[in-house]
Amino acid sequence: MIFDKYYVLDTNILLEDANNIFKLSEEGKNLIILPETVLDEIDSKKSGFEEINFQAREFARILENSNIKSSSKNGLYKIIRLEIIDRDNTTIDIISKEEYDVNIKSVSPNIINDRKILEIAKFANLYYEEEVEFLSLDIMARTRAISLDIKTDALSGSKKDEFNYEFVKEITINFEDQENLDNQEITNFDKEYKPYNYSYCFKIKSSDQVILANIQNKRIKVLDEVEVRNQIITPLNKEQLFFSNALLNHFYNVLIVEAKAGSGKTLLALSAALKLVRQKYFQRIIYIRNSIESVDKGEDVGYLPGLEEKFKIYNHPLMDSLDYIIRSEYKRKKSKKNPEAMPELDEQELSARIEQMIANYSIETMWVGEMRGRTLSNAIVIIDEAQNMSNKTMQMVLSRIDNTCKVTILGSNKQIDNFYVNKYTNALTTLLKSTKDESTLVNTFAIKLQKVLRGPITEWAEQIFTKK
């Protein structure tokens, strides 16, 4: 049987999305080749609550719906051909070997499996009439494959997929245009307007004046900077003003933010959420963080009310933001009153105030692995560390959120810890790229926060470690 392409899959391809096997098969045109070690690794991931555990179980269900078409031997290798029932004639060859060449005494366990998989890929290159291609999300595995003269790729996502959408645009207008700028159609001023041009800096010709505005339904909405700044945490630059305005604006219900470390993304998102709950537009705040702990440890943290101790352990960014907000609010009150009459805030009082804020604003945290089957309503939802989420994970999380919620998705492609995704294939990038086309279902807003405000050490680190 002749196929168009022959793919040897690494384990991470299937743990990223079990249905990749059907996408790559292309209705039976291509042959999928699975080393037995891939099956062993997937089998070891079936227990747990994380997305990779779900994908492992999903792949097991796929294999259950298969028929053995043939079984053959070639030297030390055994090839079993399967056909998936009722799934576009998808054909899989599972290849095993009696004894592998890798020296298990001198190599660490994770590398042993990689080398076993590549031994099978090398054999497949000789066994099949056409050249095989090894697909993996692991750059180290792909590099080893290249050293063995095996054609390799990362499944999807490469530099050709990079994008640099102009979320904030700067144009110059005439002095007389500023008076009636609000609610004008943006195309009257920018003929090259795109759906992802969410924010504008209108510079007045022959003047230092700049008017900030967001675009809603292709119309210009000038920012009310006084109202945007009227919250616990005050925006400090134009990007933060655009972001804060979108957070507080009821027009937008999905916000996507890529930001450098220390740019204030979590702090601003939480500050705006507190204001909206205080104004009774929403009943609670839900913070979802997909950190590397969830991927590596698979901890069963679950859906926790804010007062639980685990809340602090696994959600340090949120707790740090609450700490900062309490201190900022206290300093503001202290400056208005007699500073000498108000004592400094000690740690015990600070902890008590944080717990009180968590209770008053119904702040809850949700662990990604415990979200299936839930429905979130009447909430401001903050999804942090989106760069560590696969597309399937983000799809599952967003599918839990009903139309009474507002969702803010935060992340940084410079802080990817999950080796099952890269900067081209993670959920943050997918969502940012989705802004290219206008949606009729939700009102999106996107921005990049480039300025580091945490302090000079953070900014210095960003500069020296991101040099090309």
Side-chain angles (χ1 to χ4, degrees):
M1 190 173 180
I2 304 299
F3 297 90
D4 290 350
K5 295 179 181 179
Y6 295 74
Y7 292 124
V8 179
L9 304 191
D10 198 359
T11 311
N12 48 50
I13 297 293
L14 297 171
L15 290 180
E16 194 264 343
D17 183 356
N19 286 297
N20 279 335
I21 201 164
F22 300 120
K23 297 172 188 174
L24 292 166
S25 171
E26 291 187 37
E27 299 182 349
K29 293 177 184 176
N30 306 323
L31 178 66
I32 306 300
I33 303 160
L34 298 180
E36 63 173 341
T37 306
V38 168
L39 300 185
D40 292 340
E41 290 187 330
I42 290 175
D43 192 49
S44 71
K45 298 287 187 182
K46 287 195 298 185
S47 298
F49 300 96
E50 300 307 316
E51 182 64 21
I52 59 170
N53 308 128
F54 171 79
Q55 295 300 337
R57 293 191 291 271
E58 183 67 15
F59 182 72
R61 285 189 283 270
I62 290 170
L63 282 191
E64 283 178 359
N65 292 317
S66 65
N67 288 329
I68 297 176
K69 304 299 289 183
S70 65
S71 178
S72 61
K73 287 200 73 174
N74 187 296
L76 297 174
Y77 298 88
K78 186 172 183 179
I79 304 99
I80 298 174
R81 176 157 293 184
L82 305 178
E83 189 174 276
I84 308 298
I85 302 168
D86 300 327
R87 285 307 299 259
D88 305 323
N89 301 314
T90 297
T91 304
I92 303 170
D93 276 0
I94 296 173
I95 304 179
S96 59
K97 189 181 181 185
E98 292 179 6
E99 189 174 337
Y100 289 88
D101 297 335
V102 60
N103 185 347
I104 62 174
K105 292 182 180 179
S106 60
V107 182
S108 62
N110 60 317
I111 296 177
I112 288 171
N113 283 348
D114 282 354
R115 297 204 175 164
K116 285 181 178 180
I117 290 168
L118 289 173
E119 274 190 47
I120 298 297
K122 191 173 182 179
F123 163 75
N125 229 1
L126 301 171
Y127 178 74
Y128 296 101
E129 295 181 2
E130 301 290 332
E131 184 181 29
V132 304
E133 186 169 1
F134 174 64
L135 301 183
S136 175
L137 300 177
D138 182 354
I139 182 59
M140 300 305 292
R142 296 201 306 273
T143 303
R144 291 191 191 101
I146 292 169
S147 71
L148 295 170
D149 296 323
I150 300 168
K151 186 179 178 183
T152 183
D153 202 353
L155 175 64
S156 62
S158 62
K159 285 191 176 181
K160 67 179 181 291
D161 297 321
E162 285 195 60
F163 68 102
N164 186 23
Y165 296 148
E166 205 172 4
F167 297 134
V168 178
K169 201 167 183 181
E170 187 175 289
I171 62 173
T172 302
I173 62 172
N174 296 319
F175 179 82
E176 58 269 21
D177 290 330
Q178 64 178 311
E179 187 175 346
N180 298 313
L181 186 64
D182 196 46
N183 211 37
Q184 290 280 328
E185 290 189 12
I186 182 59
T187 50
N188 293 338
F189 299 89
D190 183 9
K191 300 297 183 186
E192 298 179 356
Y193 163 77
K194 303 293 183 187
Y196 51 82
N197 300 142
Y198 293 101
S199 304
Y200 277 79
C201 298
F202 292 100
K203 295 188 72 176
I204 309 301
K205 191 180 290 184
S206 304
S207 168
D208 293 332
Q209 186 181 356
V210 176
I211 298 173
L212 305 181
N214 287 135
I215 306 303
Q216 300 176 20
N217 290 329
K218 299 181 182 178
R219 291 189 175 273
I220 298 166
K221 300 294 180 181
V222 175
L223 265 64
D224 182 349
E225 292 191 34
V226 174
E227 179 59 27
V228 174
R229 293 179 189 278
N230 183 25
Q231 52 180 316
I232 300 170
I233 303 300
T234 303
L236 298 177
N237 55 51
K238 66 178 185 293
E239 285 81 13
Q240 286 197 351
L241 277 165
F242 286 134
F243 178 37
S244 291
N245 180 70
L247 284 162
L248 296 169
N249 195 306
H250 304 304
F251 175 79
Y252 305 106
N253 50 9
V254 177
L255 282 68
I256 309 155
V257 184
E258 183 178 17
K260 288 184 177 180
S263 60
K265 58 185 183 297
T266 307
L267 197 59
L268 287 169
L270 186 57
S271 176
L274 291 168
K275 183 173 180 177
L276 290 170
V277 171
R278 187 166 58 248
Q279 292 174 336
K280 302 192 183 303
Y281 288 112
F282 299 93
Q283 293 178 359
R284 55 183 176 156
I285 300 167
I286 295 176
Y287 178 80
I288 301 166
R289 180 171 178 251
N290 193 66
S291 65
I292 194 62
E293 290 94 336
S294 69
V295 175
D296 282 351
K297 300 176 185 175
E299 296 285 355
D300 181 13
V301 177
Y303 185 66
L304 306 176
L307 300 182
E308 299 246 7
E309 187 63 25
K310 291 177 187 176
F311 185 65
K312 296 180 182 180
I313 297 172
Y314 290 97
N315 295 287
H316 289 302
L318 179 59
M319 297 308 297
D320 289 345
S321 295
L322 290 174
D323 182 301
Y324 187 88
I325 286 169
I326 293 293
R327 291 180 188 274
S328 299
E329 197 170 30
Y330 186 78
K331 285 179 183 177
R332 185 179 298 178
K333 289 178 181 177
K334 187 176 180 180
S335 65
K336 289 180 180 178
K337 296 182 180 180
N338 181 1
E340 312 233 339
M342 291 183 71
E344 290 297 322
L345 203 59
D346 62 37
E347 289 301 317
Q348 187 174 353
E349 177 63 20
L350 178 65
S351 296
R353 291 186 180 218
I354 290 174
E355 289 188 3
Q356 190 62 50
M357 177 173 278
I358 290 169
N360 290 347
Y361 289 89
S362 299
I363 303 174
E364 304 170 62
T365 182
M366 183 176 286
W367 204 248
V368 170
E370 291 292 314
M371 291 189 64
R372 295 186 186 281
R374 298 188 184 277
T375 300
L376 308 187
S377 58
N378 296 309
I380 292 281
V381 180
I382 301 170
I383 303 173
D384 208 351
E385 305 286 351
Q387 78 279 358
N388 284 324
M389 287 190 181
S390 69
N391 291 329
K392 277 289 181 181
T393 298
M394 184 61 78
Q395 181 184 2
M396 183 271 292
V397 171
L398 293 177
S399 68
R400 305 296 98 205
I401 299 170
D402 75 8
N403 62 358
T404 63
C405 293
K406 182 177 186 125
V407 59
T408 302
I409 299 153
L410 310 173
S412 169
N413 272 325
K414 293 182 178 179
Q415 296 178 295
I416 299 172
D417 302 310
N418 181 356
F419 61 84
Y420 292 104
V421 298
N422 59 42
K423 76 174 188 175
Y424 307 109
T425 62
N426 67 57
L428 176 64
T429 295
T430 299
L431 288 168
L432 289 168
K433 288 171 71 175
S434 74
T435 62
K436 182 179 180 181
D437 301 310
E438 193 170 5
S439 173
T440 58
L441 299 173
V442 295
N443 293 322
T444 60
F445 175 88
I447 197 165
K448 292 186 178 183
L449 301 182
Q450 303 285 5
K451 294 186 178 178
V452 177
L453 300 173
R454 184 173 291 156
I457 295 175
T458 303
E459 187 170 8
W460 170 73
E462 280 283 336
Q463 288 175 356
I464 66 168
F465 291 116
T466 56
K467 284 181 181 179
K468 294 183 179 178

